[in-house]
Amino acid sequence: MKVLVAGGAGFIGSCTSEYLLDNGHEVVVFDSLVKGHRDAVDPRADFVQGDLGDALAIERAMVAHRPEGIIHFAAFIEVGESMVDPGKYFRNNVACGLNLLEAAAHNDVRKIVFSSTAAVYGMPKTIPISEREPTIPVNPYGESKLMFERILRWYHEIHGLQYTALRYFNAAGCSPNFGEDHNPESHLIPIIMQAAEGKRESIKIFGTDYPTPDGTCIRDYVHVLDLAQAHLLALESHEVGAFNLGSGAGHSVRSIIDTVREISGQEFRVDEAARRSGDPPRLISDSAAARATLGWKPKFDDIHEIVESAWRWRCDHPKGYAR
Ligand code: UFG
């Protein structure tokens, strides 16, 4: 299948593009490089540098390459920033994405797979979280992703565009060639690794008084290659709707710090800090629907393997994608 990957120069987009190419598919990466990296574009893929805010640019790419399927990763992802500048999130993650959907609808694209998030659930009441949990986002980032899921439903009803929204929990790890390099970095595992590398003075634990066994927040870390596998299954499937993607295991912030210490063999300073606003105490996925309906079979269920994979990429790329 020929697949246009919007946001294919970002973390999950680059790893998924590589996975598609390894499995015999053709890939066209469409990315503005505002957040993505040119070196994260697989050399086997065609590359179009363009912004989804530019309706003509995405239309032209679609006409030139005629993809049968689309994977849409292109979005801003910082929860904290979305609480300060909501307009930036609604403009980019909703309004700009509409240009992609319009171009898809009148260029006979069969299927779109959308990169959604556990943030659509806000503060979930039931753990593990299934797709039946009410969607009540508590920040504009999660709201923007939920709005786009709803828009997809209407494009399906009206234009017949098939879609699958994949709600990821905490993505981590690396693919054979690509890894995580955000600027600024806001995610836990790469931040701890920066401390282990001596690139930051310390790691701050945001909140040690949560109602969890060690007082720190619990998250569900899922390997990026397992996410990549789910995208390919979703592209090939005729199922329409939203699916959670997580490992189903919960790990506290403290336990992730210990795992990075063990794997890196490095000591670093850990400070206890105040809670970060909007953090739910526990997010653990029930991904039974993705397994049963899409046939998803995640391969990485050991947090050590996931952290080792992230650490390996950092050791091989001490400057990330910077030359
Ligand atoms: N944390 C720290 N110190 C840090 C960074 C993070 O203690 O320096 C804590 C956070 O407070 C949180 C946990 O580590 O408890 C994980 O934080 P991340 O920022 O790595 O990830 P989130 O769980 O906040 O966010 C992830 C995805 C989002 C998605 C969200 C769903 O990155 O895209 O899950 O709630 F929206």
Side-chain angles (χ1 to χ4, degrees), residues 26 37 63 88 91 101 103 145 180 192 195 204 211 219 238 243 260 281 308:
E26 286 178 67
H37 309 274
V63 169
K88 181 172 174 181
R91 185 174 301 110
L101 287 188
K145 290 286 183 176
E180 187 168 14
I192 305 174
K204 284 192 178 62
R219 293 290 180 271
H238 293 288
F243 296 93
V260 174
E308 241 167 35

Side-chain angles (χ1 to χ4, degrees), residues 143-291:
E143 187 74 62
S144 71
K145 290 286 183 176
L146 184 61
M147 285 166 83
F148 204 77
E149 284 193 15
R150 292 197 169 129
I151 291 169
L152 281 169
R153 188 169 74 78
W154 290 109
Y155 274 72
H156 171 60
E157 283 206 10
I158 294 164
H159 294 302
L161 181 65
Q162 291 187 30
Y163 76 92
T164 307
L166 298 176
R167 296 174 176 167
Y168 323 143
F169 283 64
N170 294 60
C174 72
S175 68
N177 288 303
F178 305 112
E180 187 168 14
D181 180 10
H182 293 117
N183 186 18
E185 191 50 74
S186 67
H187 290 117
L188 182 66
I189 292 179
I191 285 182
I192 305 174
M193 290 184 173
Q194 287 177 346
E197 291 163 333
K199 290 181 181 154
R200 67 168 68 217
E201 230 170 72
S202 68
I203 159 83
K204 284 192 178 62
I205 301 182
F206 297 144
T208 53
D209 57 350
Y210 283 98
T212 59
D214 69 14
T216 67
C217 285
I218 291 178
R219 293 290 180 271
D220 176 338
Y221 296 88
V222 54
H223 198 285
V224 68
L225 284 178
D226 285 335
L227 295 181
Q229 182 207 128
H231 286 80
L232 179 50
L233 290 166
L235 265 182
E236 289 169 339
S237 142
H238 293 288
E239 292 296 331
V240 163
F243 296 93
N244 290 342
L245 296 180
S247 68
H251 301 280
S252 71
V253 173
R254 280 195 208 278
S255 73
I256 296 289
I257 291 173
D258 290 344
T259 308
V260 174
R261 268 209 181 104
E262 190 189 317
I263 283 166
S264 67
Q266 300 297 317
E267 266 312 315
F268 46 88
R269 206 175 91 202
V270 176
D271 294 331
E272 296 190 359
R275 289 183 177 195
R276 190 174 69 174
S277 81
D279 269 344
R282 289 174 87 205
L283 288 177
I284 300 174
S285 154
D286 172 349
S287 306
R291 290 169 191 258

Side-chain angles (χ1 to χ4, degrees), residues 76-114:
F76 292 142
I77 58 162
E78 284 171 56
V79 172
E81 184 187 51
S82 81
M83 293 293 282
V84 178
D85 190 355
K88 181 172 174 181
Y89 280 72
F90 293 124
R91 185 174 301 110
N92 192 51
N93 297 2
V94 183
C96 294
L98 273 178
N99 291 328
L100 178 65
L101 287 188
E102 284 294 302
H106 53 81
N107 281 287
D108 305 320
V109 171
R110 189 180 61 77
K111 174 91 192 217
I112 179 161
V113 179
F114 173 57

